[in-house]
Structures are given as structure tokens and as C-alpha cells.
Amino acid sequence: MPKWLSNALFYEIYPQSFYDSNGDGIGDLNGIRKKLDYIQSLGCNALWLNPCFESPFQDAGYDVSDYRKIAPRYGTNGDMKALIDDVHARGMHILLDLVPGHTSIEHPWFKASAQSDKGPLAGRYIWTNTKEEADDPDLTAENREKLADYPGAGRGGKYYFNYYDIQPALNYGFAHPIKSWQSATDSPEALATREELKNIMRFWLDMGADGFRVDMAYSLVKNDGAGHEETQKLWRDVRAMLDAEYPNAAIVSEWFNPSQSLACGFHADFYLQANLSYMALVMTGEDAFFNPAGDGNCAGFAEEYTEYLDTASRFPGSYVSTPTGNHDVLRMSYGRSERQIKLLHAFDMTLPGLPVIYYGDEIGMKYLELESKEGGLYRTGSRTPMQWDSTKNAGFSTADDPAALYLPIDPDENRPTVEREDGDPESILSNMRRLIQLRKNTPALGNDGKFEIVYAEFCEYPLVYKRYKENSRYYIVVNPGANPCTVSFDTCYALKEPIYEIGDTMTVTRDGNTNTISVTPESFAIFTE
């Protein structure tokens, strides 16, 4: 069990956009090494790097062409080893982004598989026997939609892909095979793919990586139903290998269902874009809870989140993770004022589990409307270069030609930068640092502190929750709305002055055991008994 997760606070880095150390316009591993002081200054002690492996970058690295080689745009395997060593020398940890469900069509495995239905790699991917079988009415609609031609293939049939058609699905079998070309999960070819996944993990763990964030972890076995039961069995097998050989290695899933992912061996699961009740809470829009102009509902979140935490409690050392954002969603700063961003950060940093800060969120970087780059679609605007200072290219790169940059810099001359916010005690960055320090210094607010909903009513404000551990209890009141409100709840002792607050001061009156709080608009406070 990786005990280091109990106080881990992650910083997610999109490598091509973080810091360019050689002036070619693209961020790289040596750039990350140069900025470790900054990451530590935030209070973060763990990194999650989006995919760094060799790729044609038709999906920003989520289309791998060599799992054992760092993409040249980022450096070399030696550079990765140097980064891992630097991270460890600081008492930090690092997760690599693993994409186990599919590769690029440029991967040598796929090219070999495409040429013959014989040989050791013939079954590494999923192929129909003939092209006509792709239109078989017995297939599910998804199976038919996910089958594509590969021009120049030496074998007949079509291949199965996952997201884009340049991402052929690796063959871990079908939970319920109904056609001859659909392998069972215990077939030799499916088991060989599973063992190769373990070997890839071993390669980077032997180099010193501390584990993996796993992309689309729920998707490996096909036709697996809503429960993903065969995929769960696969991950339990992987977890058994890790427990036996790398007991300090962590695996964090992109599954969006902790009730399944934690039960099959993941140490944490992300609670983000596929969790509609959470997104209804934090995204902008008329119905969002964290929108002053909205009429949001926090009750759905309260019910679902409590259920997921109950699941985590049944698996010691397991967590639910609530990032500030990530590379797949609009930046949470979109359409928000500085105070509204601070409110959201305060909420994120006072939830249990594994906190994750997406690079740039800590300074309130904006979402930009941009054309799609490397398969990013609308997500491209959340992947722009980190804004460090007021020098050329916002300090991201020394490249002379702005066109050489991976993506354009925010053109606003008043764009947020680390330099501008670093010395301002009222900045978004300073507020984030205070929140992290408070979390670190207060066990009840940390990863393992308990959580309980105190007040979360349908389409009502505020949201009140309790964090506690042993004899320490903290009551957190958040009102993102533009109107004042009141809330009453019982406590054993009178509430003290807030230890942290945003907005105008809330007032507390007490009648017997009942506290009534007059909650000001767009405000947040942490009370103790």
C-alpha cells in the first residue's frame, strides 16, 4: 500500500505547454526539472505528467507508438530518469500517464498485426475476419461504429478502434464474445496483451516512476456491460502484480466511478467530467451551483459524493480525487471573476481524497477559443502555454517566432502570470498557497480526514459540510450565489471565528445547540467548534 498517498497533493503537467528549456517552442522534461522549485513552493509534492511517450501526436500523445521511449520533443529516456531522480531527491513522487487501451496506428505492433492474421502480433489488436462482418446485424451499434478500414492491410477485415480511428484498440478480449473474431478474455492473445501491459508498467517502475494515471481504465475489455466486471478482474490481476513487486506504486484511474475502480484495485479515481452531478456543481452555466447568476443544485453532488466516499472507506488507502480541472475540460476560470475562482479553489482544497491542481489553474489562467490542435477539439483552449512572467512568450519559451510555440500565448496584456501574482497577498496564487498550507497543517482537512454533508438542499444555498478527524471538527460554508442566505444546524459547541474566509464576514448566532449563520453573497468560511 503506497502510504505516501495519504499526504500527496498532485500537480498535473501538460508537458508540451509547461516550460520550454531549449527554445524550440515546445515544453519538455528538462523544462519541468527547472520548475520543480516553483511546484514545491505551491505546496505540491507529487506530479502527474500527461503522456510523454513516442507518438505521432494525432491525439496529443494519447496515441502511443512506443511505450518504452520518451517522445523526442520532450527529450530522452535519460532525461526522464534525471527528472525522476530530481523529484525523488526532493521527497516528491511522480505518476506517468499510461494509455493501455489503444495505441497509434503507427505503432510497430499494429503495422505487424495489419499485415497478417498469423504470427505473435496477429491478435494484439481486434480485427474482423472479413470487411463484410463489420456490418453484421448481430453486432452492437458501438461495435459496428468502432470498426474501420486500414488502407494497405495485408489481412482481410476491419480493425476496432477506441476514440479516434487512429487509435486501434488493443485486444484484452470480449466479456461476451459472439463472433469468431471476438477473443475471450482468457484467450492466449488477450492474456498476452495483459502481460505486455504489466511489462510496460515494470519498465517505468524499474526506472523509478511511482505509478501511473491510467487513461480510460474502464474500457479495456469490450462488450463488458455497465458493471465492467471483466475489466475489473483484469485490473485486480494487475494490482496483484503491483502489490507483489512494487508495493509503493500507485495507480489512479480515469474511470469516473469509484464504486467500480476502487473495488478492482485502483488507489484513487477521478471525480470529474463524466460525473454529471459534480460538473453541475462546478462548471459555469445557468444551472451550475458555482455560478452567481445560476439556480444551482448541490443535492445531487452531496448524495453521489457521499456514496463514493463510503466506497473508498471500504478499501483502506483508497481515495476519490477532485482536480481543479484537467486537459479535457474547459478551464474552471471560464466566465468567472477572481473571487469566484478563489471560491472554487477553496472548495476543491477542503474536500478529502487526492487533490490535483491542473497547471495554470493556481494563477487563474484563462480558457482560450482556439482551433483544434493534435486532436484537442474544444479542449485545445485549456492546453495553452504556462504564463510565467512578463518576458517574451510569457516566459514559457525563448523561441523568436511566436508561430513556433506549441499553442498561442494568451494575448491579453493583463493575463495572469506567476511573476505578477507571486508578490500579491490577495492574488489567486497566494490564496491557493494559503489553502494548501492550511490543508497540510490541519489533519482533519487532509486526504484522510472524514467528510459529512451538513446542509445540501435541492436548489438551495449554501452548501455546508463537515471535515473531522479524532476530536477536531471543521464546518465549511460555501455560498457561490449572488444573494445572501441563512443556514441553521446543530453542533455540540459554539462555533468560533472563521480560520479562513472569502468575501464579507458571516455572522453566527446560537440558540441552544443550534447555530444560525447569516451567509453573505459569494463567500466561503471554515469554522471550528
Side-chain angles (χ1 to χ4, degrees), residues 46 60 116 350 431 469:
S116 174
T350 53
N431 180 66
K469 191 170 187 178

Side-chain angles (χ1 to χ4, degrees), residues 253-261 269-283 300-301 304-305 307-308 320-323 326 329 332:
S253 61
E254 182 189 44
W255 198 300
F256 310 120
N257 188 337
S259 297
Q260 294 179 11
S261 60
D269 188 25
F270 289 110
Y271 188 53
L272 196 62
Q273 64 261 34
N275 299 100
L276 299 183
S277 65
Y278 180 66
M279 295 305 283
L281 196 79
V282 301
M283 290 301 288
F301 157 78
E304 183 179 73
Y305 188 61
E307 175 187 331
Y308 286 157
V320 178
S321 178
T322 47
N326 75 6
V329 298
M332 298 297 183

Side-chain angles (χ1 to χ4, degrees), residues 44 86 116 175 201 215 258 268 299 313 317 436 452-453:
C44 294
D86 283 358
S116 174
M201 297 173 81
D215 182 66
S313 70
I436 291 173
E452 180 182 315
I453 292 291

Side-chain angles (χ1 to χ4, degrees), residues 342-343 346-347 350 435 438 445 462-467 474-480 487 489 495-508 517-528:
K342 290 178 181 178
L343 288 173
F347 173 68
T350 53
L435 286 164
L438 179 62
L445 297 177
L463 169 65
V464 183
Y465 50 97
K466 181 169 71 171
R467 298 296 313 280
Y474 296 83
Y475 295 85
I476 297 161
V477 182
V478 54
N479 176 26
V487 63
F489 54 89
L495 296 183
K496 300 176 182 177
E497 291 295 314
I499 62 170
Y500 171 91
E501 58 186 334
I502 298 172
D504 295 335
T505 301
M506 300 182 192
T507 58
V508 182
I517 303 178
S518 297
V519 184
T520 54
E522 292 189 79
S523 61
F524 183 102
I526 304 175
F527 296 92
T528 62

Side-chain angles (χ1 to χ4, degrees), residues 129-429:
N129 298 312
T130 66
K131 292 184 179 181
E132 290 73 23
E133 285 177 308
D135 297 319
D136 191 325
D138 290 340
L139 299 180
T140 65
E142 180 182 13
N143 285 173
R144 287 195 297 273
E145 292 168 359
K146 293 291 187 179
L147 291 167
D149 277 312
Y150 183 64
R155 65 188 294 173
K158 294 186 177 184
Y159 68 92
Y160 196 108
F161 64 91
N162 273 352
Y163 193 70
Y164 294 119
D165 62 8
I166 48 85
Q167 294 167 321
L170 288 164
N171 186 10
Y172 294 94
F174 284 70
H176 306 285
I178 60 172
K179 298 295 177 181
S180 62
W181 54 269
Q182 297 177 347
S183 301
T185 55
D186 60 354
S187 65
E189 58 270 26
L191 293 178
T193 304
R194 185 188 305 191
E195 290 308 306
E196 182 59 22
L197 168 61
K198 293 178 187 177
N199 288 334
I200 292 165
M201 297 173 81
R202 289 183 177 107
F203 180 86
W204 295 105
L205 292 170
D206 287 343
M207 186 180 288
D210 296 295
F212 304 92
R213 176 267 189 185
V214 182
D215 182 66
M216 295 177 63
Y218 56 87
S219 70
L220 302 196
V221 176
K222 305 307 179 188
N223 290 9
D224 202 10
H228 303 289
E229 292 179 3
E230 290 299 322
T231 302
Q232 288 193 54
K233 290 179 184 178
L234 184 157
W235 284 114
R236 278 192 282 271
D237 181 47
V238 172
R239 173 66 184 269
M241 179 275 288
L242 292 175
D243 286 348
E245 300 178 29
Y246 306 93
N248 290 318
I251 46 174
V252 179
S253 61
E254 182 189 44
W255 198 300
F256 310 120
N257 188 337
S259 297
Q260 294 179 11
S261 60
L262 302 185
C264 69
F266 282 93
H267 298 101
D269 188 25
F270 289 110
Y271 188 53
L272 196 62
Q273 64 261 34
N275 299 100
L276 299 183
S277 65
Y278 180 66
M279 295 305 283
L281 196 79
V282 301
M283 290 301 288
T284 56
E286 292 182 359
D287 297 327
F289 183 77
F290 274 85
N291 177 11
D295 186 20
N297 173 30
C298 62
F301 157 78
E303 180 179 358
E304 183 179 73
Y305 188 61
T306 299
E307 175 187 331
Y308 286 157
L309 291 181
D310 286 345
T311 297
S313 70
R314 298 199 297 272
F315 302 97
S318 297
Y319 300 94
V320 178
S321 178
T322 47
T324 62
N326 75 6
H327 58 289
D328 279 337
V329 298
L330 302 185
R331 283 200 181 266
M332 298 297 183
S333 60
Y334 185 69
R336 288 193 162 102
S337 69
E338 185 171 311
R339 180 187 283 192
Q340 291 158 9
I341 295 169
K342 290 178 181 178
L343 288 173
L344 197 52
H345 288 174
F347 173 68
D348 287 330
M349 289 299 126
T350 53
L351 292 175
L354 288 187
V356 180
I357 298 172
Y358 182 49
Y359 85 97
D361 280 355
E362 73 276 14
I363 59 172
M365 274 180 59
K366 301 174 185 175
Y367 172 82
L368 303 184
E369 301 284 352
L370 296 174
E371 291 185 6
S372 179
K373 175 76 174 281
E374 296 184 350
L377 305 176
Y378 71 91
R379 305 168 298 180
T380 302
S382 295
R383 303 174 176 184
T384 54
M386 180 66 175
Q387 294 155 198
W388 295 102
D389 55 39
S390 58
T391 62
K392 181 172 61 177
N393 301 320
F396 162 70
S397 172
T398 59
D400 291 326
D401 183 2
L405 301 184
Y406 175 70
L407 285 171
I409 300 286
D410 182 352
D412 187 347
E413 62 180 15
N414 294 315
R415 60 183 172 245
T417 67
V418 172
E419 177 186 57
R420 177 176 292 151
E421 297 192 19
D422 200 29
D424 178 1
E426 301 303 317
S427 68
I428 295 172
L429 175 59

